[in-house]
């Protein structure tokens, strides 16, 4: 287990991107250091906090107090919560608010929230005044282990998720693990799908650890808080893996694509569900990982019992692993294939799927033939 230097010290992971390198600071209560860290990065800068109405009620005061403690003047932009905000209209609103707040080059945007706020505020930071610096303060498990790290920013197109965006690395990621105490269990679970993704794609030892410690990772969620070392270890290990992959392949020309394990199936399901609460992103990823594992078995590259181990773990964590577990109608296999083809993991019309050879060993299968994939989906859409 990766321990901080002293109990109570945050864990610090560096994303080694040369002059754009930055730290991920992970630990309980680190929000109090937001202002001191912002000031050290950009002395004299002011900040605009972008957040949503739900996160604002829970954490805005702490973020503002953290900034004030470091003598950083701040303003706030509060948007409505939900994936619907990742739209042209949502982006326009934030850009106009940042300009109205008189943010200049050298000032800081602080994205305080989950994946939606992070993607949206990060994209606004990428384009307002041709680029402002920003700090990610992720408040969900999913954002702490995935979306706040690595500089992908985006809004959705009516034709698919995250199709309009930019790579724009934050200057700092401050992941306060105590903020997860207030996260609803369903949201924490959805984020946990991304944690399992890291283990499956590249670290069999981490998977074994998760299998043995899943209860401790979930400790305190939905029960008044107090999650401890296991939660922090799961987050820090995931962040370390993501930081290393992003440092080696920032623009996803190769290895970074492995982070899309479960996402091509998952994004198609999310799109089919209308990007609604019917299916959260992490739930779609869990089903997507299960489908990728089953399809890997179908292609003869993964042992069935290994797929069962991976899928069994997701199921034991309370995540859905079959399409039929999500209530309501689904489009047919052709429509799902169409949605998969619209995803960004497509190169010149050929579908690239991330598949599994073993626990801890994902690989990119390029040019996947649509015919067997269609037959597979037809089967998966039938009640099992
Ligand atoms: N969420 C996948 C990536 O950042 O590449």
């Amino acid at each position: 287990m990766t321990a901080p230097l002293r109990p109570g010290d945050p864990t610090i992971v560096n994303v080694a991107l040369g002059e754009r390198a930055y730290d991920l600071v992970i630990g309980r209560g680190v929000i109090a250091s937001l202002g001191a860290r912002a000031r050290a990065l950009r002395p004299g800068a002011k900040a605009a906090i972008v957040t949503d109405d739900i996160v604002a009620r829970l954490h805005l005061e702490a973020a503002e107090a953290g900034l004030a403690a470091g003598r950083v003047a701040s303003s706030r932009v509060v948007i409505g919560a939900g994936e619907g905000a990742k739209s042209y209209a949502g982006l326009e609103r934030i850009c106009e608010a940042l300009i109205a707040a008189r943010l200049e080059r050298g000032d800081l945007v602080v994205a305080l929230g989950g994946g939606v706020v992070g993607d949206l505020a990060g994209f606004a930071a990428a384009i307002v005044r041709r680029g402002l610096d920003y700090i990610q303060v992720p408040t969900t498990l999913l954002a702490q282990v995935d979306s706040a790290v690595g500089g992908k920013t985006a809004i959705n197109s009516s034709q698919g998720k995250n199709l309009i965006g930019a790579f724009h690395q934050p200057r700092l990621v401050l992941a306060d693990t105590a903020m997860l105490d207030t996260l609803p269990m369903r949201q924490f679970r959805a984020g946990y799908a991304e944690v399992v993704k890291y283990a499956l794609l590249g670290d069999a030892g981490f998977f074994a650890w998760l299998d043995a410690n899943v209860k401790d990772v979930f400790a305190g969620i939905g029960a008044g808080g107090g999650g401890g070392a296991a939660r922090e270890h799961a987050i820090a290990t995931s962040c370390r893996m993501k930081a290393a992959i992003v440092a080696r392949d920032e623009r996803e020309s190769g290895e970074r694509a492995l982070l899309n394990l479960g996402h091509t199936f998952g994004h198609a399901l999310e799109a089919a569900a209308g990007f609604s609460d019917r299916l959260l992103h992490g739930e779609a990823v869990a089903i997507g990982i299960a489908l990728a594992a089953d399809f890997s078995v179908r292609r003869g590259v993964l042992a069935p019992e290994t797929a069962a181990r991976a899928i069994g773990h997701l199921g034991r964590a309370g995540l859905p692993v079959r399409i039929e577990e999500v209530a309501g109608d689904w489009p047919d296999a052709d429509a799902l294939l169409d949605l998969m083809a619209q995803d960004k993991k497509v190169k010149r019309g050929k579908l690239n799927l991330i598949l599994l050879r073993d626990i801890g060993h994902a690989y990119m299968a390029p040019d996947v033939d649509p015919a067997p994939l269609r037959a597979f989906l037809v089967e998966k859409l039938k009640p099992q």
Side-chain angles (χ1 to χ4, degrees):
M1 185 182 281
T2 315
L5 299 178
R6 288 189 305 264
D9 277 352
T11 302
I12 299 191
V13 176
N14 186 257
V15 185
L17 285 169
E19 60 185 19
R20 287 172 298 106
Y22 57 96
D23 283 341
L24 319 177
V25 179
I26 303 153
R28 286 191 81 82
V30 294
I31 190 68
S33 68
L34 175 60
R37 292 178 194 277
R39 195 176 182 80
L41 279 172
R42 292 282 174 274
K46 60 182 176 299
I49 301 175
V50 179
T51 192
D52 69 39
D53 48 1
I54 295 175
V55 176
R57 278 198 294 281
L58 297 166
H59 304 302
L60 183 54
E61 208 176 293
E64 287 178 336
L67 285 170
R71 299 190 309 283
V72 177
S74 68
S75 55
R76 43 165 86 170
V77 182
V78 182
I79 60 170
E83 186 79 26
K86 270 177 67 172
S87 60
Y88 293 104
L91 179 68
E92 180 181 6
R93 166 131 199 261
I94 292 177
C95 290
E96 291 298 333
L98 294 177
I99 294 165
R102 305 241 178 278
L103 246 67
E104 293 165 14
R105 285 266 187 93
D107 288 332
L108 289 163
V109 176
V110 176
L112 173 71
V116 169
V117 165
D119 283 10
L120 198 47
F123 190 27
I127 58 178
V128 168
R129 298 194 189 278
R130 297 199 179 87
L132 296 170
D133 287 337
Y134 75 115
I135 295 175
Q136 289 274 17
V137 184
T139 59
T140 64
L141 178 59
L142 190 134
Q144 293 193 351
V145 298
D146 187 20
S147 58
V149 181
K152 279 188 180 176
T153 71
I155 58 170
N156 298 329
S157 150
S158 58
Q159 300 180 68
K161 195 172 161 83
N162 295 338
L163 292 181
I164 302 140
F167 284 99
H168 185 48
Q169 298 293 342
R171 294 290 166 191
L172 171 72
V173 179
L174 207 60
D176 189 329
T177 56
M179 284 183 167
L180 306 185
D181 291 351
T182 53
L183 203 61
M185 178 58 99
R186 186 180 174 202
Q187 292 278 353
F188 188 86
R189 250 191 218 125
Y192 185 71
E194 300 280 4
V195 174
V196 176
K197 174 192 81 176
Y198 290 109
L200 291 176
L201 75 87
D203 190 341
F206 185 37
F207 183 83
W209 183 88
L210 289 173
D211 222 18
N213 293 281
V214 59
K215 250 198 178 142
D216 292 337
V217 173
F218 276 72
I221 301 298
R231 183 192 297 176
E232 202 159 314
H233 177 64
I235 294 170
T237 306
S238 303
C239 284
R240 216 170 261 114
M241 283 184 74
K242 179 145 191 191
I245 291 172
V246 168
R248 289 192 292 265
D249 179 23
E250 184 185 6
R251 297 270 169 153
E252 200 170 306
S253 45
E255 186 188 1
R256 186 165 179 171
L258 297 181
L259 296 174
N260 297 325
L261 175 64
H263 282 63
T264 305
F265 288 110
H267 279 171
L269 293 170
E270 268 187 285
F275 299 112
S276 67
D277 267 9
R278 182 180 162 209
L279 182 66
L280 301 179
H281 173 70
E283 294 168 343
V285 167
I287 298 174
I289 290 173
L291 290 171
D294 277 343
F295 194 62
S296 304
V297 172
R298 188 68 53 93
R299 283 171 64 112
V301 294
L302 181 69
E305 57 276 15
T306 310
R309 240 184 107 207
I311 297 169
H313 180 79
L314 291 164
R316 273 195 306 285
L319 284 157
V321 289
R322 293 193 312 275
I323 298 173
E324 72 188 44
E325 288 178 66
V326 182
D329 292 334
W330 289 100
D332 63 15
D334 289 315
L336 277 185
L337 258 185
D338 255 10
L339 289 167
M340 287 174 77
Q342 189 57 273
D343 202 46
K344 295 182 299 319
K345 289 96 197 167
V346 168
K347 281 216 173 91
R348 284 180 274 285
K350 299 283 190 182
L351 207 56
N352 296 327
L353 279 185
I354 309 303
L355 299 179
L356 284 173
R357 283 192 208 286
D358 202 349
I359 285 175
H361 187 176
Y363 73 103
M364 190 198 288
D367 301 350
V368 172
D369 185 357
L373 187 54
R374 183 183 176 282
F376 174 78
L377 287 172
V378 167
E379 212 175 285
K380 292 293 171 185
L381 283 162
K382 281 195 201 129
Q384 310 276 298

